[in-house]
Amino acid sequence: MAGEQLALTVLMGLLLVGVAALLTRIEDWQAYTPFGGGSVTGEETSYGHSEKPGGVIRWLTTVDHKDIGILYGAYALVAFAVGGIMVMIMRLELLFPAEDFITTGFYNSLLTSHGITMLFLFGTPIIAAFGNYFVPLLIGADDMAFPRINAIAFWLLPPGALLVWGGFLIPGIAPAQTSWTMYAPLSVEQTHLGADLMIIGLHLTGVSATMGAINFIATIFTERADDVSWANLDIFSWTMLTQSGLILFAFPLLGSALVMLLLDRNLGTLFFAVEGGSPILWQHLFWFFGHPEVYILVLPPMGLVSYIIPRFAGRKLFGFKFVVYSTLAIGVLSFGVWAHHMFTTGLDPRLQASFMAVSLAIAIPSAVKTFNWITTMWNGKIKLATPMLFCIGFVANFIIGGVTGVFLAAVPVDRLLHDTYYVVGHFHYVIMGAIAFAIFAGIYYWFPIYTGRMYQKSLAKMHFWLTMIGTNLTFFGMLILGYLGMPRRYATYNITIGPIDAITLLHQLATVGAVVLLIGQIIFVWNIVSSWREGRRVENGDPWNLKDDDLYSREFHWFDERLDDDLALADGGDEDKAMTDGGEESTDVDSERQ
Amino acid sequence: MAEQADVGDRFPTASPWPLFVAVGFTVTELGLFIGIFPVAVAGVLLFGASVAGILTEAEYVGHLWKTMGVFGAVLAAIGLAMVVYGGGVGVEAALGAIDAPNVVGNRLVSRGLAVGAAGIILAVTAATGELLEPAR
């Protein structure tokens, strides 16, 4: 046996040395085109990267921030689809009380993977997609500070995703059933190999996020153009900088805790054993990372909303300075609230009170932002284009998600609602209702820049309304389910006591909402893909008419310059000209101002 | 503030190494934590060679082979230390650890052997490269 392994090792070693030797032979990758010229999408020539390798090799070797942004975005949307399909299976199982068409074990696996997928494989990477593509453009940098580290950070993600989903993909291996929180002792004692793979995958995504954060910090500090000062740094870059600071302190801790968990599982250490560091140590370490993670996910989307709302309200962001200060305040306070996830673990009541106070205090900077968004819109020249609709949806849903969080921060309320669907409803209002909405707003707002085309307006509005209705149907139902005492994480609810009829009805409403959400997202994907391929070309460097209100910004200026370059090379094609918000001839900007 | 230097000089547009660094790191973690000797060795090799490659390409270091050699020697020392600390010195103990890496007593030794073996292969490769191509 050992002989076979050694022979295999020697073979692998020789192969790898050969590969490495081959790579070092190729001196100039910029000019290396083994698979023929052209790009994968056939539309990328306008990026002015003619010096890059062609074909698949371009995407495998690129260190350009815009290409890496596109890669991050594509990856995150695939993960969003996978996480969405997982939760659809769960919601269909919950349509009726009994165990119907999937086992409880499989439900637990889906539950675990859905959470990890949406937070780490969709949420963090899609923000990195925006950051990579737009932060250098917004601050006038040529690229990220460390382009190669940028590429390493991205390429850690696909293997990470395959490992997180490994339990489903590899036959004969049971997927992890630990929930995304991976509480010890369950996560230590569960023998599934899928759990090891998931933890390793998660560790990789954490390393990736940390490398990305270091890059964003270095870029924003050192690569700004001469005319971009701290005073006029845009709000999105401010939130990316704060988020990167949070990642720098939070993710290495998650990485260390995950390594400790892997060592407990595979090398016999006792970090989280009762006779060692105790299972509660895991909860402290996990939530010291886990709560800042919420703000890691929400701050850049808040930045997107703060950036986009003024451009469709025809005026500058109200109280810019205070929006920046509130971002920094949230960043600092986020590290002082972790134990509000642990009020029911027997924590000292004096500690509970202090964590409650800090948790409640976070409502203040959050409210500062909310009031500033509302005040920016107040009496403004509101244009209800799709990005603006999603921003307004963000504000509405964030208020519900935020206020329900204020209740949960209070110890006595938390004791009642802990581990119920109320918690699930609360954080989904923030994650789906707010974060995902801001991401959709960003995708639509900057669609002309990264595709050179405009999306289809009617499909986009359909996407918004279906998402808004589906989100509220599903997650408001969950808030009421929580008040009725329905515990979270259960695959069945065929109980004999309690308000079973109301619980069944609310579960069915939540499932109907999820189906509405699914239909909305299918329309979204169709819109993005078809518009990217065949949408009307944008020929104006100011597709949102930002110059009218003196809100024209640096990234559209860059886009305009690129359009000029393209026009100089164009062959006089006769494609239709795009209208604002992808509208048809009959809808111009004025008709959108309501 | 950024000095708007010549873009072509400062910013590369393509590099083969990031993908291999990432895959190498992934395979290393898989092999070491799960305890699969050939996978661990392959991962450390790929990771070590790619790190030397990317550092040389980015001109953080001047010599590919010397960097790889130093990296290999450090890994070999770490691996050896793990083997000695784990009590796995000797051919019988080493083969036993490779055979059953997750048995109590073999856990640290098997991982140490993988890291050490990969370090030695890296160092030998670097030495060979230095002899054949001293300019790199």
Side-chain angles (χ1 to χ4, degrees):
Chain A
M1 274 296 283
E4 285 173 19
Q5 297 219 36
L6 286 173
L8 193 60
T9 308
V10 171
L11 273 176
M12 277 203 177
L14 286 173
L15 179 72
L16 291 170
V17 168
V19 169
L22 180 70
L23 289 176
T24 56
R25 296 307 88 181
I26 302 165
E27 296 282 354
D28 186 5
W29 279 87
Q30 275 87 338
Y32 181 61
T33 316
F35 291 2
S39 68
V40 176
T41 62
E43 295 296 333
E44 303 297 329
T45 48
S46 59
Y47 280 83
H49 293 160
S50 54
E51 73 277 19
K52 291 176 185 172
V56 178
I57 295 290
R58 167 189 169 179
W59 295 98
L60 294 176
T61 62
T62 184
V63 293
D64 179 283
H65 71 99
K66 296 183 291 299
D67 285 352
I68 292 174
I70 296 283
L71 287 172
Y72 264 113
Y75 166 87
L77 289 180
V78 169
F80 187 53
V82 172
I85 290 166
M86 284 173 173
V87 81
M88 279 312 300
I89 298 171
M90 288 156 62
R91 282 295 348 152
L92 289 174
E93 170 61 34
L94 290 167
L95 201 53
F96 299 105
E99 185 179 332
D100 298 313
F101 73 99
I102 58 171
T103 63
T104 50
F106 189 62
Y107 181 95
N108 291 343
S109 303
L110 290 174
L111 176 97
T112 304
S113 201
H114 166 73
I116 300 265
T117 300
M118 288 306 199
L119 294 173
F120 297 97
L121 310 183
F122 164 65
T124 317
I126 195 81
I127 292 167
F130 284 117
N132 267 291
Y133 203 107
F134 290 104
V135 165
L137 298 183
L138 288 167
I139 67 171
D142 297 321
D143 202 315
M144 298 288 282
F146 307 114
R148 292 180 186 82
I149 287 181
N150 205 19
I152 295 173
F154 171 74
W155 285 112
L156 282 169
L157 287 176
L162 290 175
L163 289 172
V164 168
W165 301 329
F168 296 100
L169 300 175
I170 304 170
I173 295 180
Q177 297 181 21
T178 58
S179 177
W180 84 281
T181 51
M182 296 169 285
Y183 275 6
L186 177 69
S187 57
V188 176
E189 291 170 1
Q190 203 167 82
T191 51
H192 307 41
L193 183 58
D196 286 308
L197 298 183
M198 184 189 79
I199 297 166
I200 293 171
L202 193 53
H203 187 244
L204 293 174
T205 65
V207 173
S208 159
T210 310
M211 294 175 95
I214 292 168
N215 219 342
F216 280 121
I217 292 171
T219 304
I220 295 173
F221 266 89
T222 65
E223 299 290 331
R224 280 176 289 132
D226 290 334
D227 59 336
V228 179
S229 65
W230 290 115
N232 65 12
L233 183 65
D234 67 280
I235 189 66
F236 179 63
S237 299
W238 267 113
T239 54
M240 283 302 297
L241 181 65
T242 313
Q243 182 229 27
S244 299
L246 295 186
I247 287 178
L248 203 56
F249 287 99
F251 266 90
L253 187 119
L254 171 75
S256 310
L258 289 173
V259 168
M260 288 152 80
L261 188 58
L262 281 166
L263 293 176
D264 270 14
R265 286 177 60 85
N266 295 297
L267 277 95
T269 54
L270 299 170
F271 289 113
F272 306 121
V274 174
E275 64 272 32
S278 105
I280 293 293
L281 174 65
W282 169 264
Q283 292 196 29
H284 279 295
L285 292 178
F286 181 81
W287 287 117
F288 187 83
F289 146 80
H291 204 83
E293 165 69 1
V294 176
Y295 298 100
I296 286 166
L297 287 171
V298 85
L299 283 178
M302 283 174 162
L304 282 174
V305 169
S306 305
Y307 191 80
I308 294 171
I309 281 181
R311 282 158 180 80
F312 294 92
R315 50 161 60 169
K316 290 192 165 56
L317 181 65
F318 183 86
F320 180 92
K321 266 189 192 172
F322 291 93
V323 177
V324 173
Y325 293 152
S326 64
T327 302
L328 299 173
I330 289 175
V332 173
L333 288 173
S334 70
F335 282 99
V337 300
W338 81 88
H340 70 213
H341 296 273
M342 300 166 60
F343 283 157
T344 57
T345 58
L347 208 63
D348 187 314
R350 288 162 297 185
L351 284 175
Q352 289 187 34
S354 62
F355 278 101
M356 177 176 79
V358 183
S359 303
L360 292 171
I362 277 206
I364 297 167
S366 306
V368 167
K369 286 178 179 295
T370 307
F371 286 120
N372 277 311
W373 294 323
I374 293 171
T375 322
T376 304
M377 288 188 277
W378 193 270
N379 276 342
K381 291 184 291 178
I382 304 285
K383 288 183 272 185
L384 287 178
T386 309
M388 184 62 160
L389 285 176
F390 272 105
C391 286
I392 296 171
F394 172 104
V395 176
N397 292 331
F398 178 69
I399 290 172
I400 301 177
V403 169
T404 50
V406 174
F407 291 137
L408 274 178
V411 175
V413 181
D414 183 80
R415 288 191 178 235
L416 196 64
L417 295 174
H418 183 82
D419 248 344
T420 68
Y421 261 81
Y422 183 88
V423 182
V424 184
H426 151 67
F427 71 73
H428 276 91
Y429 256 105
V430 176
I431 289 173
M432 181 66 206
I435 294 171
F437 271 54
I439 285 163
F440 290 136
I443 288 173
Y444 285 118
Y445 179 65
W446 281 321
F447 194 80
I449 291 191
Y450 57 83
T451 65
R453 296 172 184 267
M454 190 53 101
Y455 57 82
Q456 296 156 71
K457 173 191 169 184
S458 48
L459 289 180
K461 292 204 166 160
M462 223 184 288
H463 172 220
F464 167 74
W465 284 111
L466 288 172
T467 308
M468 189 69 183
I469 293 166
T471 297
N472 280 281
L473 207 53
T474 303
F475 303 123
F476 206 83
M478 287 187 181
L479 292 177
I480 305 172
L481 273 171
Y483 279 129
L484 293 177
M486 174 76 206
R488 62 192 285 204
R489 300 196 178 108
Y490 277 61
T492 60
Y493 48 99
N494 49 349
I495 45 179
T496 51
I497 54 165
I500 183 66
D501 289 342
I503 286 177
T504 306
L505 181 65
L506 286 165
H507 266 304
Q508 289 170 345
L509 273 178
T511 301
V512 169
V515 172
V516 172
L517 273 173
L518 177 68
I519 295 168
Q521 305 329 300
I522 290 170
I523 291 171
F524 164 68
V525 172
W526 170 256
N527 191 2
I528 294 297
V529 172
S530 63
S531 301
W532 200 318
R533 292 171 62 88
E534 296 165 355
R536 290 159 186 255
R537 277 203 180 278
V538 175
E539 292 171 359
N540 173 5
D542 183 17
W544 301 113
N545 296 341
L546 301 174
K547 285 177 182 167
D548 293 353
D549 300 308
D550 197 22
L551 290 162
Y552 197 57
S553 46
R554 193 180 278 271
E555 82 278 24
F556 276 104
H557 182 70
W558 171 86
F559 174 62
D560 192 34
E561 283 183 350
R562 207 187 71 187
L563 276 180
D564 287 345
D565 292 345
D566 288 351
L567 281 174
L569 300 168
D571 59 356
D574 56 357
E575 288 189 69
D576 293 334
K577 188 181 173 185
M579 308 297 291
T580 297
D581 197 24
E584 288 82 32
E585 293 295 331
S586 58
T587 54
D588 59 19
V589 179
D590 291 335
S591 70
E592 296 229 320
R593 290 178 182 169
Q594 295 170 18
Chain B
M1 295 292 163
E3 287 190 21
Q4 302 299 312
D6 183 355
V7 177
D9 286 347
R10 291 190 61 208
F11 291 101
T13 54
S15 166
W17 296 111
L19 175 62
F20 289 98
V21 173
V23 173
F25 188 70
T26 305
V27 178
T28 302
E29 284 215 348
L30 257 180
L32 287 181
F33 281 121
I34 309 285
I36 315 168
F37 185 77
V39 174
V41 172
V44 177
L45 271 180
L46 187 57
F47 182 65
S50 307
V51 167
I54 202 167
L55 288 175
T56 314
E57 187 200 50
E59 297 178 358
Y60 285 128
V61 295
H63 301 280
L64 173 71
W65 301 125
K66 280 180 187 163
T67 309
M68 195 192 281
V70 170
F71 200 40
V74 171
L75 286 175
I78 292 172
L80 187 68
M82 286 166 74
V83 171
V84 172
Y85 185 75
V89 183
V91 177
E92 283 294 311
L95 290 177
I98 292 171
D99 236 359
N102 288 327
V103 171
V104 178
N106 287 348
R107 289 164 171 167
L108 194 62
V109 176
S110 61
R111 272 80 175 177
L113 280 170
V115 173
I120 291 167
I121 297 173
L122 273 179
V124 170
T125 308
T128 313
E130 180 70 27
L131 280 175
L132 297 176
E133 269 187 327
R136 274 183 183 272

